[in-house]
Structure formats: C-alpha cells, structure tokens
C-alpha cells in the first residue's frame, strides 16, 4: 500500500489528439483526482509531438512524466537481429511502450495499491481487449466512451481549450515514431518533405535490416529507396488526391462545424489495427 493508502490514477499520453482530449476532459470534470500523466518516450517521436506535450503541460498545470525505456530502439533492433518491427511483429510497442509502463506501475501494484488507468477509447470506437488489465488491482477506465464523446467531441474539447491539434496533423493524422510502419505511403512522402533527415534515418534502418535478411520493409511492397523516386512520389500523390476527392464527395457537410473535422488517413485508406499505446 502507498503511504496515503489511496488509489493511484494514471493517464498515458501518446502525443495524439484522443489521449490529449481525455486529459483535458479529466482535468475539467474530475479536478478532485490527483492524476499522474505519463508519456513513454521511444526517443524516435516526431518533434511536433514533444512540442504538443509542452503545450498540454501548460494547460494541465503539472509536468507530464516521461517514462524513458532503459534500452532504446537501436538496442532492441540488434536484439531482434536487425529485423524491422512490423504489423505482424510489433516488438517496438512491446519493448518501448508497454514494458516501461509495466515496470513503472509494478511497484505500485506489488505494494497493494489499486491503480486506475484512464484510456482514450472514444464512444464511436470499439473497446479493444488489448487494453484489458492482467492484474486485479490495475483497473482500466474509458471516460470518453462512458461520456459518449466521439471524434467530433474530442476535437471540440481541444479547440475549446485553445490547444487545438498537434502540428503534425497538417500532414499525418496519427502520432508515433517517425518511421512507424503503419504510415501510409503518402505519409512517407510527406515525412520526406517535412523531415528529410528522419526519412533518411528510416532508409538507413531499412537497408541495414534488408542486408541482415529482414523480410520486411517499412512500407509494404517497396523499399523507401523505391518510394522516394520522383515518378513514384507523383503516383502516390495522384492516388491520394483521388481518394481525398472521392471521400469528400461522400461526406455530408455539417454547417455547424464546417472546418472542424479533418479527414483522417484511416478514413481514406481503411481503419488500421494500430498500436493504441502509440497512436491515441
């Protein structure tokens, strides 16, 4: 049991909009709770993520705890024989996101403390069993879902506080590592344009992995070297524009919120089974 004998309340932030909106919601609706906000830092996040976390700290009025993994991405890449993580083998999430959280919360649980973990699943999303607790004293709560807050509600929460969206929403609609394998090809093109040094770093990781026999490239079906060719970039941009126009043509305009709801990448390419610890 901790010194006070009271339960602990924790809320994980990914640098994405949903977890940020959940933090705003809890601050506004449950100020009586002493919540520990945390961010598990892989060291490979977008700079816009770190900038947004600083803004969020200003609103919350308290620091966001950084849970740095004791061993970084490069260490684990060598442990996995230079094989890149992939949708089939998500060792990056397991080792760089989940493991540090488990190490942090374990002493609390072992002391007999009940820990409430608040997770940003919206009302318009299905609850994913991957968030079910494996420990009786670790209790998962879904406040956004319980309050009926959907995507539009999340955006309203962030706009209403003046936080708005992280700047990376100008070119991709999920947080996570610079080289996340869940990125669509248009996101890789935009990474190359916005942060060319991170794109080159991803190319180097990929080349090393392929040289060591890795069956995966970052982007399905082609290497980043191939994707970066001018003709290929033009094809990707053209295809993305066609998808965008088709999707916009199907949407019904909301006169009350004409500019509030951006079209997500997943709206265009289908819902990916992303790692929620990274992208919420």
């Amino acid at each position: 049991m901790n010194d006070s004998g009271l339960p602990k309340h924790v809320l994980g932030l990914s640098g994405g909009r949903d977890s940020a909106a959940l933090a705003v919601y809890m601050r506004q609706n449950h100020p009586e709770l002493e919540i520990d906000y945390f961010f598990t830092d892989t060291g490979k996040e977008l700079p816009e993520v770190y900038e947004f976390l600083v803004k969020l700290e200003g609103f919350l009025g308290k620091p966001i705890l950084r849970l740095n993994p004791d061993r970084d991405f490069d260490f684990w890449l060598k442990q996995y024989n230079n094989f890149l993580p992939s949708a089939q083998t998500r060792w990056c999430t397991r080792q760089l996101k989940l493991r540090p959280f488990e190490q942090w919360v374990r002493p609390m649980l072992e002391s007999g403390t009940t820990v409430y973990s608040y997770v940003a699943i919206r009302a318009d999303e299905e609850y994913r069993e991957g968030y079910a607790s494996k420990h009786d004293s670790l209790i998962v709560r879904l406040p956004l879902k319980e309050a009926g807050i959907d995507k539009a509600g999340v955006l309203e929460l962030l706009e209403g506080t003046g936080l708005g969206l992280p700047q990376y929403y100008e070119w991709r609609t999920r947080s996570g590592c610079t080289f996340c394998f869940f990125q669509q090809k248009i996101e890789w093109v935009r990474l190359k344009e916005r942060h060319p040094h991170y794109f080159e770093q991803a190319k180097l990781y990929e080349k090393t992995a392929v040289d060591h026999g890795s069956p995966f490239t970052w982007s399905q079906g082609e290497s980043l070297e191939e994707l970066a060719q001018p003709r290929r970039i033009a094809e990707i941009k053209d295809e993305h524009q066609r998808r965008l126009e088709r999707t916009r043509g199907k949407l019904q305009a909301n006169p009350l919120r004409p500019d509030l709801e951006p079209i997500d990448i997943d709206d265009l390419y289908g819902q990916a089974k992303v790692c929620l610890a990274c992208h919420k």
Side-chain angles (χ1 to χ4, degrees):
M1 186 69 66
N2 60 17
D3 293 340
S4 66
L6 298 174
K8 291 282 289 183
H9 302 270
V10 303
L11 194 159
L13 298 158
S14 69
R17 70 179 178 211
D18 290 355
S19 58
L22 176 58
V24 168
Y25 176 83
M26 296 302 292
R27 177 73 176 82
Q28 291 177 334
N29 291 275
H30 295 282
E32 77 282 2
L33 296 180
E34 184 63 32
I35 299 176
D36 289 336
Y37 301 95
F38 68 92
F39 170 67
T40 308
D41 191 352
T42 66
K44 302 295 183 180
E45 315 284 340
L46 290 164
E48 294 97 323
V49 166
Y50 298 116
E51 292 166 6
F52 186 66
L53 290 174
V54 171
K55 288 179 63 178
L56 188 55
E57 283 179 324
F59 172 81
L60 296 173
K62 63 185 301 184
I64 296 168
L65 179 65
R66 267 62 168 179
L67 301 185
N68 290 303
D70 52 351
R71 291 165 175 163
D72 62 10
F73 178 84
D74 293 327
F75 171 86
W76 288 110
L77 184 62
K78 291 179 180 177
Q79 294 297 111
Y80 285 88
N81 298 315
N82 286 289
F83 277 31
L84 298 178
S86 68
Q88 295 76 32
T89 310
R90 305 182 191 187
W91 61 256
C92 50
T93 301
R94 184 167 61 254
Q95 301 296 356
L96 296 172
K97 289 287 186 179
L98 300 179
R99 182 171 172 269
F101 170 72
E102 291 168 355
Q103 289 179 331
W104 176 57
V105 80
R106 185 179 299 120
M108 305 178 201
L109 298 173
E110 290 178 347
S111 72
T113 300
T114 298
V115 178
Y116 290 91
S117 177
Y118 299 93
V119 176
I121 303 295
R122 304 189 312 258
D124 54 340
E125 295 179 308
E126 293 182 5
Y127 176 58
R128 305 190 185 186
E129 292 300 323
Y131 267 95
S133 170
K134 298 178 182 178
H135 196 290
D136 290 342
S137 295
L138 178 60
I139 300 172
V140 175
R141 290 284 185 258
L142 312 175
L144 297 181
K145 193 171 187 67
E146 292 166 5
I149 296 173
D150 58 7
K151 175 184 169 183
V154 160
L155 295 170
E156 287 178 347
L157 278 169
L158 296 178
E159 292 295 329
T161 60
L163 284 168
L165 293 170
Q167 284 192 346
Y168 63 78
Y169 271 84
E170 295 174 0
W171 59 280
R172 79 176 196 177
T173 56
R174 63 171 62 95
S175 56
C177 292
T178 57
F179 44 65
C180 181
F181 48 81
F182 277 119
Q183 290 181 106
Q184 295 292 338
K185 295 182 188 297
I186 187 64
E187 294 176 291
W188 281 109
V189 169
R190 290 171 174 173
L191 179 67
K192 183 178 186 302
E193 294 173 343
R194 297 283 185 131
H195 298 294
H197 55 297
Y198 290 129
F199 186 86
E200 292 302 316
Q201 182 185 59
K203 278 177 61 178
L204 183 59
Y205 280 130
E206 184 180 72
K207 183 179 185 306
T208 301
V210 171
D211 288 347
H212 283 78
S214 174
F216 305 116
T217 52
W218 288 123
S219 183
Q220 186 175 4
E222 62 187 330
S223 69
L224 293 186
E225 183 68 38
E226 293 167 328
L227 184 148
Q229 297 305 307
R231 179 178 295 180
R232 182 66 181 121
I233 288 176
E235 291 173 351
I236 291 168
K237 287 184 173 181
D238 287 346
E239 168 60 18
H240 178 73
Q241 187 60 34
R242 288 194 293 271
R243 285 178 179 264
L244 194 58
E245 290 171 358
R246 287 197 300 269
T247 301
R248 282 176 174 161
K250 296 176 183 177
L251 293 178
Q252 292 184 346
N254 185 341
L256 300 178
R257 286 192 293 261
D259 300 315
L260 191 57
E261 297 186 35
I263 297 176
D264 291 350
I265 289 290
D266 288 341
D267 294 333
L268 299 177
Y269 294 90
Q271 183 68 44
K273 295 182 179 180
V274 297
C275 305
L276 300 187
C278 302
H279 300 301
K280 294 296 287 180

